């Protein structure tokens, strides 16, 4: 039985227990006042009408129990009936306010998800000699939507990739992601150097971001036999070759996007061998920061063998399924993964 089903049954269980205990003990202890637990519990998971019906049920049961206990007509019984009516009214109000708040949160999340779907348009499954797979797992329903972003474009300079994670959550994060993606999509075609693309994105963010907001990101450009990576404070991508697996750690530390005003020089892209049959997995921190029930982080490098399948998308789906098994419950942060596999041209 699900937790929601248990919550819905709880008011009736509470009333039943009060009836049983009162029939056993009689009027000596005075359990009738505990019938107020029925409408109180009903407001936790039910609507206004359901809460009212549970309150009426509690009143209907209180009268024959008062007769059984010999309390009918006494002041204590009238006080019990008044308590049931009062608690039912308060519970109906609480249920109404809770339902309104839940609708507001649901509508806000739907708007954020719709905006994010518009921003995160489908990536091409093939680009040049690359095969591309994508996995995006939204956070739990009770968590706010995150600001993960990704893009793959084919430009005159080659295939260029962006993956990033906006600090914060909610509509503000989605808005920041829109600025980053818009600037990248424009600059990726105009700038001959990857560093120039980063500077354009940084300039765009400087006009919009305030305070200490930032975006961790990796920009990549695929060349013959290698791939250029410019890491702006983002988790290092995982490179898979026949001879082994390793993280492509940046040679120089770089600040996240949006912190350029601090004056730190932007490092140059570093090149990583990327030949036929090689793969590279880009991901957001929602992947490596997932914990199991014992608090252990997801061991991404140890599970990289799941990406050796013949079809990149099927292989990435297998990794995602393993990630879900590791968590064993809802995600608390969005998790995006982008897998590139090099095939013969």
């Amino acid at each position: 039985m699900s937790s929601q089903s248990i919550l819905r049954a709880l008011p009736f269980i509470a009333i039943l227990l009060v009836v049983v205990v009162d029939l056993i003990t009689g009027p000596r202890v005075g359990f009738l006042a505990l019938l107020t637990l029925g409408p109180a519990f009903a407001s936790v998971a039910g609507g206004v009408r359901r809460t009212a019906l549970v309150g009426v049920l509690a009143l209907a049961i209180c009268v024959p129990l008062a007769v059984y206990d010999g309390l009918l007509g006494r002041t204590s019984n009238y006080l019990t009936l008044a308590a049931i009516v009062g608690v039912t009214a308060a519970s109906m109000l609480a249920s109404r306010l809770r339902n309104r708040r839940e609708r507001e949160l649901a509508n806000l999340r739907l708007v954020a998800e719709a905006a994010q779907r518009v921003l995160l348009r489908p990536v091409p499954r093939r680009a040049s000699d690359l095969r591309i797979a994508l996995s995006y797992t939204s956070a739990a329903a009770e968590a706010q939507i995150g600001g993960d972003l990704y893009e793959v474009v084919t430009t005159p300079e080659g295939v260029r990739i962006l993956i990033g994670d906006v600090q914060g959550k909610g509509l503000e994060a989605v808005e920041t992601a829109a600025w980053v993606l818009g600037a990248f999509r424009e600059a990726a075609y105009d700038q001959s150097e990857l560093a120039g693309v980063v500077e354009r994105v940084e300039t765009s963010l400087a006009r919009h971001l305030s305070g200490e907001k930032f975006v961790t990101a990796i920009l990549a450009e695929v060349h013959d036999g290698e791939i250029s990576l410019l890491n702006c404070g983002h988790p290092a991508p995982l490179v898979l070759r026949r001879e082994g697996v390793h993280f492509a750690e940046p040679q120089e530390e770089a600040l996240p996007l949006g912190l350029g005003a601090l004056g730190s020089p932007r490092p140059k892209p570093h090149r990583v061998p990327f030949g036929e049959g090689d793969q590279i997995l880009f991901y957001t921190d929602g992947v490596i920061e997932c914990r199991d029930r014992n608090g252990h982080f997801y061991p991404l490098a140890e599970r990289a063998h799941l990406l050796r399948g013949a079809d990149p998308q099927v292989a990435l789906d297998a990794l995602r399924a393993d990630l879900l098994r590791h968590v064993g419950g809802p995600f608390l942060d969005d998790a995006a993964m982008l897998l590139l596999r090099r095939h013969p041209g």
Side-chain angles (χ1 to χ4, degrees):
M1 182 180 292
S2 66
S3 58
Q4 186 67 18
S5 300
I6 295 174
L7 286 176
R8 292 182 66 84
L10 191 57
F12 304 102
I13 296 174
I15 291 176
L16 179 61
L17 288 175
V18 172
V19 171
V20 172
V21 173
D22 189 81
L23 290 176
I24 294 173
T25 62
R28 294 187 303 275
V29 180
F31 282 97
L32 292 185
L34 293 180
L35 288 171
T36 56
L37 292 175
F41 286 144
S43 66
V44 175
V48 176
R49 181 178 299 179
R50 180 183 175 85
T51 303
L53 290 175
V54 173
V56 171
L57 175 63
L59 284 172
I61 290 176
C62 182
V63 174
L65 281 181
V67 174
Y68 174 79
D69 294 337
L71 299 175
L72 191 64
R74 295 188 178 183
T75 303
S76 59
N77 186 52
Y78 291 134
L79 291 176
T80 299
L81 293 174
I84 294 175
V85 172
V87 172
T88 300
S91 299
M92 290 170 63
L93 177 60
S95 177
R96 180 181 178 85
L97 295 176
R98 177 183 57 79
N99 289 332
R100 178 187 298 175
R101 179 60 175 168
E102 287 178 352
R103 285 194 298 270
E104 291 175 351
L105 290 176
N107 290 336
L108 179 61
R109 181 172 176 81
L110 287 174
V111 170
E113 288 179 338
Q116 196 169 48
R117 283 194 297 270
V118 171
L119 291 173
L120 301 179
R121 59 193 183 190
V123 300
R125 297 305 177 182
R126 293 179 181 269
S128 183
D129 60 346
L130 300 174
R131 294 183 66 185
I132 304 170
L134 173 69
S135 171
Y136 186 89
T137 305
S138 295
E142 62 269 18
Q144 289 184 304
I145 191 167
D148 290 3
L149 56 97
Y150 51 80
E151 184 60 288
V152 178
V153 295
T154 302
T155 73
E157 306 299 330
V159 178
R160 285 176 167 172
I161 298 99
L162 167 69
I163 188 165
D165 188 1
V166 180
Q167 179 208 25
K169 299 181 184 298
L171 287 175
E172 185 178 356
V174 175
E175 185 180 16
T176 302
W179 293 328
V180 174
L181 288 169
F184 172 77
R185 287 164 181 164
E186 180 180 353
Y189 291 96
D190 296 341
Q191 298 294 318
S192 60
E193 299 291 336
L194 200 59
V197 178
V198 173
E199 293 305 322
R200 284 276 294 275
V201 175
E202 182 72 47
T203 301
S204 176
L205 286 178
R207 291 196 300 266
H208 296 101
L209 292 186
S210 59
E212 297 181 354
K213 297 290 185 180
F214 60 85
V215 182
T216 67
I218 291 181
L219 286 84
E221 183 178 275
V222 181
H223 310 283
D224 291 336
E226 59 186 9
I227 183 170
S228 292
L229 302 172
L230 208 164
N231 193 321
C232 301
H234 198 77
L238 185 66
V239 180
L240 298 89
R241 299 194 181 92
R242 293 184 181 88
E243 60 271 19
V245 175
H246 72 277
F247 290 98
E249 298 288 350
Q251 297 174 351
E252 300 178 59
E253 293 293 332
L255 291 176
L257 299 171
L259 300 181
L262 297 180
S264 176
R266 184 71 61 188
K268 296 180 179 179
H270 68 284
R271 299 200 170 195
V272 176
F274 189 51
E276 180 181 329
D278 291 346
Q279 300 185 90
I280 185 167
L281 177 69
F282 299 94
Y283 54 90
T284 57
D285 59 7
V287 175
I288 56 174
E289 292 182 358
C290 283
R291 298 173 183 260
D292 62 12
R293 299 185 187 279
N294 297 319
H296 299 141
F297 291 111
Y298 183 68
L300 180 59
E302 296 177 13
R303 308 296 173 84
H305 64 276
L306 297 172
L307 298 174
R308 301 291 189 183
D311 184 276
Q313 187 60 57
V314 173
L316 189 58
D317 289 342
L319 184 67
R320 177 183 180 274
D322 184 70
L323 180 63
L324 291 171
R325 286 192 296 270
H326 175 83
V327 175
F331 278 39
L332 298 180
D333 194 7
D334 291 359
M337 295 184 287
L338 189 65
L339 178 66
L340 273 61
R341 180 180 294 179
R342 191 145 214 173
H343 278 245

